[in-house]
């Protein structure tokens, strides 16, 4: 019994070839994408000499000295200070952003009020508004309030749901939750705030996890904000400390130490990403991400 | 949806922020741009003087050229690449999660200073990239010490971060009804033909969104060039956002820097407006969506 006709066999072969091509391209691109990071990890264990002489990412030996020496830095502070500093504004940013964005998204998603359409367009427009144009007046505002060289300019805007990305993501998510739950709760005598807290918040959990992760990584990675507002070394976050370490080009640059600290700076984002991968993809695809 | 003014109360945080942290600074930037404010002296009104000086300032004009160049190279390269990979990933493949992760990681880490450190390192004269191409017998490329090389380094850094555009494309591709491809296949059209005649037209709204977003971002790029190449040889990678930063936060010429930021803003809005104007020529919105 010859089950496959000539035509089917030919098609089968064509499918096989195109699958091989697809996997070939995907794997080659994935290697190019990931190799720099693998190489970085390997280089943190290498001696300076080895870094500059080999293409292979696997180090000849595992030596944690670059980590220990790099952590100490050449200043009176260690990376303990710089990491703690970073968390001092990253954590409040996450909390404020979650509260304010949820309230605002709830307002837009569930109520009809005067100028709603107009405000919503304004919210959309701010997604595309170049931040470069408001940077100088904002600096002057915080300067006049005497808040330069504090974390307030970095944290305060999140109280006002200033990142439309998060508001959007939550609005999209709220729209997918059927309103009959709200209605039933209204009949039971819940007011609008109780509905948000008791009914919607539990259902919003995946979106809230996404927001937390994105805000964490973006705040942790933020460089320009601290660069403008944080000036004293004792308040430096990791981003500024790393920048400082590559600028100290006097004497021998201990590249393995700088790379070791760079890897540690990437680690929180990587850990979070692998722990909560599915929330990422959902978050990005529901709104379109920045960056 | 309930008709209730209480909705206004819920959006109040955003509204307050909109007024005090967006609209007010936005207008204020324009006001400052007409003064000679430098943090020390009392500001004097100088009319269009800042704007006139800007257009006579060879440094500023060179940053505009560099910024336009950067945008023209980065955005199409990144989007084409993102769409191409998303298209391949959209076939039912085993291990799609692994690939999706691998492609997304650079976007995730891209903003971190550590990546800039790594990048600077990889592209040094005796760095990894030159040694790698050396394995194939190629001569080392002066990445950081030639104007075009330095531009290529920061463009590649951005293109490397194509992951988030790719995920958005992937979501759009998933929404293209499978029957359309089957119908086309029955009609005997090739995959190549289906891609340009079915896939592309159906995802034009997503292409448009990504295009505008990436364009607005590219015009304001700061981290990449600031951290990796600096001004670059012959100021090849001295972009306008860096020029604004230097004038505002190094030399404290607030008036001049504000004027520069408004010029950049007008250019971005101009390009956005042009894109929106061409929209009904090539972007097809389906009837169902809102």
């Amino acid at each position: 019994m010859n089950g496959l006709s000539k035509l089917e066999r030919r098609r089968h072969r064509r499918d096989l070839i195109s699958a091989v091509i697809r996997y070939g391209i995907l794997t080659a691109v994935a290697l190019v994408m990931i190799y720099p990071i693998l190489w970085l990890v390997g280089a943190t264990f290498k001696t300076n000499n080895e870094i500059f002489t080999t293409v292979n990412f696997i180090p000849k030996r595992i030596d944690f000295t670059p980590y220990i020496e790099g952590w100490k830095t050449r200043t009176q502070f260690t990376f303990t200070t710089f990491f703690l500093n970073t968390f001092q504004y990253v954590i409040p940013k996450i909390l404020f952003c979650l509260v304010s964005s949820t309230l605002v998204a709830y307002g837009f998603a569930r109520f009809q009020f005067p100028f709603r359409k107009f405000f919503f367009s304004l919210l959309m427009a701010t997604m595309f508004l170049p931040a470069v144009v408001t940077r100088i007046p904002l600096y002057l505002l915080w300067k006049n309030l005497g808040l330069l060289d504090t974390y307030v300019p970095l944290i305060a805007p999140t109280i006002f749901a200033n990142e439309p990305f998060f508001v959007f993501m939550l609005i999209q998510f709220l729209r997918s939750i059927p309103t009959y739950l709200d209605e039933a709760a209204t009949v039971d005598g819940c007011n609008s705030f109780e509905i948000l807290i008791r009914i919607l918040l539990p259902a919003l959990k995946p979106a809230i996890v996404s927001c937390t992760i994105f805000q964490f990584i973006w705040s942790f990675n933020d460089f320009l904000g601290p660069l403008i507002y944080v000036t004293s070394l004792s308040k430096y976050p990791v981003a500024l400390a790393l920048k400082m370490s590559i600028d100290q080009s006097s004497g021998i640059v201990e590249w393995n130490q700088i790379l070791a600290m760079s890897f540690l700076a990437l680690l929180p984002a990587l850990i979070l990403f692998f722990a909560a991968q599915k929330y990422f993809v959902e978050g990005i695809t529901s709104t379109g991400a920045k960056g | 949806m309930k008709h209730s003014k209480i909705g206004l109360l819920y959006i109040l945080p955003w509204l307050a922020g909109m007024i005090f942290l967006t609209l007010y600074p936005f207008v204020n930037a324009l006001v400052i741009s007409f003064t000679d404010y430098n943090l020390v002296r009392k500001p004097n009104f100088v009319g269009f003087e800042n704007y006139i000086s800007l257009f006579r300032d060879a440094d500023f004009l060179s940053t505009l050229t560099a910024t336009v160049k950067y945008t023209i190279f980065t955005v199409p390269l990144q989007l084409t690449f993102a769409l191409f990979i998303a298209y391949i990933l959209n076939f039912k493949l085993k291990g799609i999660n692994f690939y999706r992760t691998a492609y997304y990681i650079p976007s995730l880490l891209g903003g971190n200073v550590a990546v800039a450190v790594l990048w600077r390192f990889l592209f040094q004269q005796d760095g990894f990239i030159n040694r790698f191409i050396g394995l194939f017998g190629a001569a080392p490329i002066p990445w950081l010490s030639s104007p075009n090389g330095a531009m290529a380094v920061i463009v590649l850094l951005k293109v490397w971060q194509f992951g988030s555009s790719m995920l958005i494309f992937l979501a759009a591709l998933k929404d293209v009804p499978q029957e359309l491809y089957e119908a086309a296949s029955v009609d005997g059209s090739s995959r190549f033909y289906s891609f340009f005649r079915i896939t592309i037209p159906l995802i034009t709204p997503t292409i448009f969104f990504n295009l505008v977003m990436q364009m607005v971002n590219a015009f304001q790029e700061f981290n990449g060039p600031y951290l990796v190449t600096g001004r670059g040889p012959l100021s090849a990678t001295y972009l306008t956002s860096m020029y604004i930063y230097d004038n505002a936060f190094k030399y404290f010429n607030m008036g001049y820097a504000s004027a520069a930021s408004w010029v950049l803003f007008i250019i971005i809005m101009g390009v956005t407006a042009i894109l929106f104007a061409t929209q009904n020529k090539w972007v097809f919105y389906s009837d169902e969506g809102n």
Side-chain angles (χ1 to χ4, degrees):
Chain A
M1 212 169 74
N2 187 3
L4 293 171
S5 71
K6 205 174 175 185
L7 196 74
E8 274 171 325
R9 258 203 309 263
R10 191 183 292 159
R11 175 180 289 173
H12 188 74
R13 200 169 60 205
R14 204 190 63 186
D15 285 351
L16 190 75
I17 291 170
S18 65
V20 169
I21 293 172
R22 265 178 236 139
Y23 276 109
I25 295 174
L26 287 177
T27 310
V29 175
L31 265 178
V32 174
M33 301 296 289
I34 294 303
Y35 203 87
I37 294 166
L38 288 180
W39 187 85
L40 168 70
V41 180
T44 61
F45 298 110
K46 291 176 184 170
T47 59
N48 255 352
N49 183 35
E50 198 184 344
I51 286 174
F52 283 106
T53 46
T54 155
V55 179
N56 195 340
F57 75 88
I58 300 165
K60 290 196 182 101
R61 75 218 141 85
I62 297 288
D63 177 7
F64 283 95
T65 322
Y67 284 88
I68 296 161
E69 292 303 313
W71 190 268
K72 286 183 194 154
T73 79
R74 291 186 187 176
T75 68
Q76 78 238 56
F77 300 99
T78 65
F79 265 86
T80 314
T81 312
F82 301 137
F83 270 95
L84 287 177
N85 286 344
T86 312
F87 289 115
Q88 271 186 51
Y89 62 80
V90 169
I91 291 167
K93 273 183 88 169
I94 294 172
L95 294 177
F96 287 131
C97 167
L98 286 181
V99 173
S100 64
S101 304
T102 308
L103 290 174
V104 173
Y106 180 52
F108 275 119
R110 284 293 202 260
F111 301 96
Q112 194 60 256
F113 48 84
F115 303 112
R116 182 176 166 279
K117 268 221 159 112
F118 171 74
F119 287 143
F120 191 73
S121 323
L122 208 58
L123 180 76
M124 297 251 289
T126 52
M127 274 254 282
F128 296 99
L129 181 80
V132 65
V133 81
T134 55
R135 206 164 278 145
I136 294 166
L138 280 175
Y139 172 84
L140 296 174
L141 176 79
W142 298 117
K143 185 182 183 309
N144 292 336
L145 293 172
L147 292 168
L148 293 185
D149 204 21
T150 69
Y151 303 134
V152 178
L154 304 176
I155 299 168
T158 55
I159 298 172
F160 302 98
N162 70 319
E163 283 160 296
F165 171 81
F166 297 109
V167 180
F168 262 134
M169 186 151 88
L170 291 162
I171 289 177
Q172 298 283 64
F173 209 90
L174 276 169
R175 280 184 181 156
S176 68
I177 302 171
T179 50
Y180 63 79
L181 288 174
D182 310 24
E183 283 148 21
T186 315
V187 173
D188 289 346
C190 286
N191 65 34
S192 66
F193 189 68
E194 285 170 330
I195 292 175
L196 174 65
I197 300 297
R198 291 201 197 148
I199 313 284
L200 297 174
L201 214 51
L204 270 177
K205 204 186 129 212
I208 286 177
V209 175
S210 297
C211 287
T212 307
I213 299 165
F214 276 109
Q215 181 62 276
F216 177 87
I217 289 173
W218 287 336
S219 306
F220 196 94
N221 285 352
D222 182 24
F223 171 68
L224 188 54
L227 181 68
I228 291 174
Y229 291 111
V230 181
T231 43
S232 40
L233 183 61
S234 61
K235 292 177 185 165
Y236 267 23
V238 175
L240 291 185
L242 272 182
K243 162 74 175 135
M244 183 182 65
S245 68
I246 50 171
D247 287 343
Q248 288 172 336
S249 44
S250 57
I252 306 153
V253 183
E254 296 291 349
W255 277 107
N256 51 4
Q257 293 178 20
I258 294 172
L259 292 172
M261 290 307 106
S262 298
F263 176 59
L264 291 185
L266 296 175
L267 211 51
L270 281 172
I271 292 171
L272 214 61
F273 176 67
F274 284 107
Q277 250 192 77
K278 68 173 185 147
Y279 294 106
F280 263 100
V281 178
E282 276 172 22
I284 291 274
T285 47
S286 69
T287 34
K290 59 180 184 184
Chain B
M1 200 176 298
K2 275 172 282 191
H3 285 261
S4 169
K5 290 204 171 108
I6 200 159
L8 274 173
L9 195 65
Y10 285 111
I11 69 157
L12 199 62
W14 169 77
L15 198 56
M18 183 74 211
I19 293 165
F20 294 109
L21 298 175
T22 305
L23 289 180
Y24 163 74
F26 178 68
V27 175
N28 203 10
L30 187 62
V31 174
I32 298 169
S33 77
F34 292 110
T35 70
D36 60 358
Y37 190 44
N38 66 356
L39 294 189
V40 188
R41 263 182 292 132
K42 275 222 149 135
N44 297 306
F45 180 75
V46 295
F48 279 95
E49 202 176 283
N50 287 330
Y51 290 92
I52 294 165
S53 325
L54 274 175
F55 283 100
R56 287 185 184 147
D57 180 345
D59 283 350
F60 176 68
L61 296 177
S62 119
T63 67
L64 282 184
T65 318
T67 307
V68 169
K69 225 190 213 170
Y70 175 79
T71 308
I72 287 178
F73 282 122
T74 311
V75 178
L77 262 177
Q78 197 198 30
L79 293 187
T80 314
F81 205 52
L83 180 57
F84 175 64
I85 297 293
Y87 176 72
I88 299 180
L89 277 181
N90 193 39
F91 290 101
K92 288 183 188 72
L93 291 175
K94 283 197 185 104
I96 181 175
N97 286 334
F98 164 74
Y99 291 109
R100 213 169 45 185
T101 307
Y103 299 148
Y104 187 62
I105 283 180
S107 302
L108 182 77
L109 305 177
N112 198 302
V113 177
V115 168
V117 172
L118 172 65
W119 218 252
R120 188 149 131 181
F121 200 77
L122 293 175
F123 284 94
Q124 282 183 350
Q125 192 65 29
D126 51 357
F128 172 80
I129 302 287
N130 274 345
R131 263 178 298 121
F132 181 75
I133 60 173
L135 295 180
F136 303 97
I141 295 169
W143 292 106
L144 299 174
S145 52
S146 70
N148 289 337
M151 180 57 87
V153 168
I154 57 168
V155 168
L156 284 172
L157 175 59
K158 200 68 177 184
V159 175
W160 184 59
Q161 299 164 38
F162 71 87
S164 55
S165 309
M166 179 205 70
L167 286 184
I168 299 169
F169 278 134
L170 194 56
L173 289 173
K174 285 217 159 35
D175 287 344
V176 176
Q178 208 58 39
E179 306 91 79
L180 286 179
Y181 292 122
E182 281 153 22
S185 159
V186 168
D187 288 350
S189 24
S190 69
R191 284 218 170 106
F192 187 75
Y193 183 88
S194 314
F195 178 72
F196 284 100
R197 285 301 161 98
I198 299 172
T199 314
I200 295 275
L202 282 169
I203 62 162
T204 43
T206 311
I207 297 177
F208 182 73
F209 173 83
N210 270 338
L211 183 63
V212 175
M213 262 338 239
Q214 295 304 332
M215 190 273 302
V216 172
N217 284 336
F219 266 108
Q220 300 181 79
E221 176 63 25
F222 179 84
N223 283 15
Y226 183 84
L227 290 164
V228 182
T229 53
R231 288 187 174 211
L234 303 174
S235 296
T237 57
Y238 193 34
L239 303 190
T240 307
S241 65
M242 292 162 76
Y243 182 83
I244 294 168
Y245 172 85
D246 283 346
N247 272 285
F249 303 111
K250 260 195 194 152
Y251 317 130
F252 301 110
N253 291 324
M254 294 300 180
Y256 197 62
S258 294
S261 75
W262 258 85
V263 171
L264 183 60
F265 169 71
I266 288 166
I267 293 172
I268 297 173
M269 285 300 111
V271 178
T272 310
I274 292 170
L275 288 177
F276 268 91
T278 63
Q279 212 191 167
N280 47 21
K281 291 241 163 60
W282 63 276
V283 182
F284 307 102
Y285 290 99
S286 62
D287 300 319
E288 34 166 351
N290 53 353

